[in-house]
Amino acid sequence: MYLKLTVLGLLLLGWTNLAIVFLIVNVIMTNFGKRIFAGFCSNFASKYNDTSNSLKIELFKDLNDMKKGEKISILEIGAGPGANFKYFDREALVQTVEPNLHFAKYFDENRSKFPKLDIKDIKEGFGEDLSAAGIADASVDAVVMTLVLCSVRDQLKCLEEIKRVLKPGGKFFYMEHIIGDEGSTIRTVHKLLMIGGFWPFMADGCCTDRATDKVMETAGFGNLEQKKYDLPISENAGIPFKLCGGIVKPHLMGVATK
């Protein structure tokens, strides 16, 4: 609907060439968007790890310390290319659920680097319905999500599913970009990017206007520890990463215990 209105408006203004560009982009993204996003995201994830390395080490400290000497069960939702595997510094059985199977080749290349981890084949599925992917009640010690709660259709339903599959005392580890603070310029940018569904269309469902910190406070976990921060972006980072990183600069990380 929004695309049709945009194209119609451009035609009425006499901007025919721009209208054609919009239509071409729409055809490309509709037919090849998920494949393109998987390639872009796999490259972005590597650079994101570089800039977030110390923060991810901090985030996953509890995961690496829990049940010392045991092989724990980890579920990663929206694993993408498997960019977090390098931070699982222990023996573990790792299951992954991912809605975009175009990540599979990047995922397979990455998991081969970590023989200590028992990483199962990627499963197609969604965070809101983990049972459809075969994840049973109270079956995992830890659930991991990074840069994924921005794109699930229903955050609360996804969090209910996470609580369902966690064992008693199990932990949910997350790192997400969130909407900017009230009155900030970046908050205005986040809202503008959501007009007409522009950003979700271009970024495979990613939303820039989610207050995930507030949602986590109402999700009903037994214990919650989280903090907000700005994504540290190096001056030496490339322009594409600076642009995307600037958009998702307001960040949140935390550990929620069932």
Side-chain angles (χ1 to χ4, degrees):
M1 173 61 76
Y2 288 110
L3 174 69
K4 292 178 181 178
L5 290 174
T6 300
V7 171
L8 179 60
L10 292 173
L11 290 173
L12 290 174
L13 289 169
W15 296 346
T16 305
N17 290 339
L18 188 54
I20 292 172
V21 169
F22 265 83
L23 287 172
I24 292 173
V25 170
N26 179 67
V27 170
I28 292 173
M29 294 306 295
T30 299
N31 291 281
F32 306 105
K34 288 188 177 295
R35 187 183 299 274
I36 293 170
F37 183 75
F40 169 82
C41 193
S42 297
N43 181 59
F44 179 86
S46 176
K47 293 177 172 57
Y48 182 83
N49 273 354
D50 290 341
T51 197
S52 301
N53 186 60
S54 62
L55 291 160
K56 283 199 172 185
I57 291 172
E58 177 186 345
L59 174 65
F60 292 121
K61 183 180 184 303
D62 280 356
L63 183 149
N64 291 320
D65 288 343
M66 66 193 300
K67 296 186 175 182
K68 282 285 191 179
E70 296 183 31
K71 182 178 181 178
I72 66 169
S73 175
I74 301 171
L75 169 66
E76 182 164 7
I77 303 170
N84 288 322
F85 296 158
K86 64 183 288 186
Y87 297 101
F88 302 163
D89 187 21
R90 61 169 305 143
E91 280 195 279
L93 182 151
V94 182
Q95 300 179 82
T96 58
V97 173
E98 169 60 54
N100 185 352
L101 292 186
H102 290 296
F103 277 109
K105 73 172 184 177
Y106 308 103
F107 176 94
D108 288 337
E109 289 171 4
N110 211 15
R111 73 167 168 175
S112 66
K113 302 173 185 176
F114 305 99
K116 187 166 68 172
L117 296 172
D118 182 9
I119 305 172
K120 301 303 182 184
D121 290 342
I122 195 169
K123 296 180 179 180
E124 186 174 16
F126 298 86
E128 296 92 333
D129 188 8
L130 296 173
S131 60
I135 312 299
D137 294 359
S139 61
V140 299
D141 297 293
V143 174
V144 171
M145 293 181 84
T146 59
L147 302 184
V148 177
L149 281 171
C150 60
S151 59
V152 298
R153 293 181 180 179
D154 187 329
Q155 286 188 320
L156 284 174
K157 188 172 182 181
C158 181
L159 294 170
E160 285 298 318
E161 276 290 272
I162 289 170
K163 288 189 294 181
R164 178 184 68 78
V165 303
L166 279 172
K167 297 176 182 178
K171 297 187 176 186
F172 171 43
F173 299 84
Y174 58 96
M175 179 177 283
E176 301 289 338
H177 67 86
I178 56 176
I179 191 169
D181 291 336
E182 289 282 354
S184 65
T185 300
I186 191 63
R187 184 182 182 90
T188 302
V189 172
H190 287 158
K191 289 187 173 181
L192 288 173
L193 286 171
M194 292 301 295
I195 293 175
F198 170 75
W199 190 256
F201 176 73
M202 295 298 295
D204 200 23
C206 173
C207 297
T208 56
D209 62 349
R210 293 191 172 174
T212 303
D213 53 325
K214 304 299 184 186
V215 175
M216 287 301 305
E217 290 172 358
T218 65
F221 283 92
N223 186 62
L224 177 66
E225 298 179 9
Q226 62 179 4
K227 71 175 183 179
K228 294 166 66 175
Y229 64 97
D230 284 342
L231 181 69
I233 302 173
S234 169
E235 288 295 323
N236 298 322
I239 293 175
F241 186 81
K242 281 185 177 179
L243 178 61
C244 294
I247 290 172
V248 301
K249 192 169 186 177
H251 255 59
L252 174 76
M253 60 183 275
V255 181
T257 305
K258 180 176 176 179

